[in-house]
Amino acid sequence: MNADVLNQSSNQVASVLEAVRNEALSFADRLHTIQGGVRLQGFDPHSFFEKAVKEAYEHLQDAFLRSRMCFGRRPDINDYEIKREFFSDLDCHHKTDIADLNITAAVKRAMSSLDTLLPSEAAENEVSRQLAARFNNEFRLEHKEVVQRGGFIVLSYGATIDSLTKQYDKRNDYSYHTNEWICKQLAVLQEMVVHFNRSTGKNQPTNIVTYYDLQQHTRALSRSPKVIDVCGFKLKFGVSRYEFHLSSEFAEHVSTMISLHNH
């Protein structure tokens, strides 16, 4: 989303919010002329507008984050203070009149603050930094030694077997927690492959398995590991361990990202 589109989105938010404010005031003024309006006397245009303000900020934030997307990912931001100031600017309960609120100015101020918080030129670095941190955490790389086997970098992790199926069905199934962890690793692996492709011009596959398919692969394990393809890499499931077999080029890309953004 370019600057013109983002500006158009913020203008639209301001226009809609102004329309909501005007309709709420108009409805409150017309209540005494509406048949059966006694039941609606509890309508409070201030509270109604307050809810609209909260929704308006969500739309502003969404438009801003879409404008800062890189590598198919939105950055995470801490905009608590910006949100608080936006609500304060449009806090009609402590203003003389809801009609006097300058909605356009409040929207422009919030968007300007968001732009200062994360300028467009810094968005790519921020997305890369956050992705590097997530990959490092989910794969626990700080506790891993580099193991090369057959021309691949191998990351090995312990697996927990479901005790109930082991006891009653005599079957080696991965536990719910192990499958959940693998799913999180697959999700961040996919994002990292997208980053790798767009950074290097490669065309590494980005396919991963669904949670249901993963469960099928992690059931009834034996001495011979099950092997599946994820993002063009091999993922091997054994009874007590599972392994990611990554290419050296991809592993080097990940290592470089983590070194650049987490130190």
Side-chain angles (χ1 to χ4, degrees):
M1 184 185 295
N2 58 38
D4 290 338
V5 175
L6 182 58
N7 187 55
Q8 182 179 356
S9 296
S10 63
N11 289 340
Q12 183 177 13
V13 169
S15 296
V16 170
L17 194 54
E18 287 176 348
V20 168
R21 184 260 309 273
N22 295 338
E23 285 296 328
L25 291 175
S26 176
F27 180 71
D29 289 340
R30 298 197 315 270
L31 271 179
H32 67 280
T33 66
I34 299 175
Q35 186 175 5
V38 174
R39 295 181 180 274
L40 300 174
Q41 291 301 322
F43 175 77
D44 179 7
H46 296 81
S47 297
F48 184 82
F49 180 71
E50 183 179 27
K51 294 176 182 178
V53 167
K54 292 179 180 179
E55 184 174 334
Y57 187 82
E58 291 176 2
H59 286 292
L60 278 179
Q61 184 196 61
D62 178 68
F64 176 77
L65 292 179
R66 281 190 285 113
S67 76
R68 296 299 188 263
M69 284 185 68
C70 297
F71 309 107
R73 175 175 173 77
R74 299 185 187 197
D76 298 321
I77 58 173
N78 182 2
D79 59 341
Y80 174 80
E81 286 300 322
I82 298 173
K83 183 191 299 185
R84 185 186 63 80
E85 290 175 4
F86 182 73
F87 292 166
S88 178
D89 285 344
L90 298 177
D91 182 7
C92 54
H93 289 285
H94 296 90
K95 306 289 184 179
T96 56
D97 195 338
I98 184 176
D100 293 336
L101 295 175
N102 193 332
I103 294 174
T104 299
V107 169
K108 288 184 177 180
R109 189 156 42 246
M111 195 57 74
S112 176
S113 296
L114 287 169
D115 185 60
T116 300
L117 178 66
L118 184 62
S120 57
E121 59 271 16
E124 182 174 328
N125 283 337
E126 180 60 19
V127 169
S128 297
R129 185 193 69 77
Q130 292 175 1
L131 178 56
R134 287 184 60 219
F135 197 98
N136 189 43
N137 291 337
E138 293 296 345
F139 281 84
R140 302 181 181 178
L141 296 183
E142 293 180 355
H143 307 286
K144 292 291 175 186
E145 295 183 6
V146 177
V147 176
Q148 297 190 26
R149 192 189 310 160
F152 293 92
I153 302 299
V154 179
L155 300 178
S156 182
Y157 301 90
T160 303
I161 296 298
D162 188 295
S163 59
L164 292 178
T165 56
K166 178 70 174 179
Q167 180 178 357
Y168 296 105
D169 297 335
K170 309 302 180 184
R171 201 174 66 218
N172 295 316
D173 295 352
Y174 279 2
S175 69
Y176 167 82
H177 297 290
T178 297
N179 282 329
E180 281 289 299
W181 184 18
I182 296 174
C183 278
K184 291 179 180 179
Q185 289 178 315
L186 290 177
V188 72
L189 174 65
Q190 184 181 52
E191 289 187 28
M192 185 62 81
V193 170
V194 171
H195 189 286
F196 173 72
N197 286 342
R198 296 186 180 181
S199 299
T200 63
K202 302 292 183 179
N203 193 29
Q204 183 79 15
T206 57
N207 58 294
I208 59 175
V209 295
T210 65
Y211 183 79
Y212 174 79
D213 288 336
L214 177 64
Q215 284 184 309
Q216 307 310 306
H217 292 302
T218 59
R219 287 178 179 173
L221 297 166
S222 62
R223 291 184 179 180
S224 299
K226 292 184 179 179
V227 182
I228 65 172
D229 180 279
V230 289
C231 295
F233 305 126
K234 299 301 180 186
L235 175 54
K236 295 186 176 183
F237 302 108
V239 174
S240 60
R241 305 192 71 79
Y242 64 91
E243 299 176 343
F244 287 91
H245 291 236
L246 308 175
S247 68
S248 298
E249 186 178 15
F250 177 75
E252 183 178 353
H253 176 78
V254 173
S255 178
T256 300
M257 270 190 65
I258 293 174
S259 297
L260 286 175
H261 297 288
N262 286 350
H263 295 286

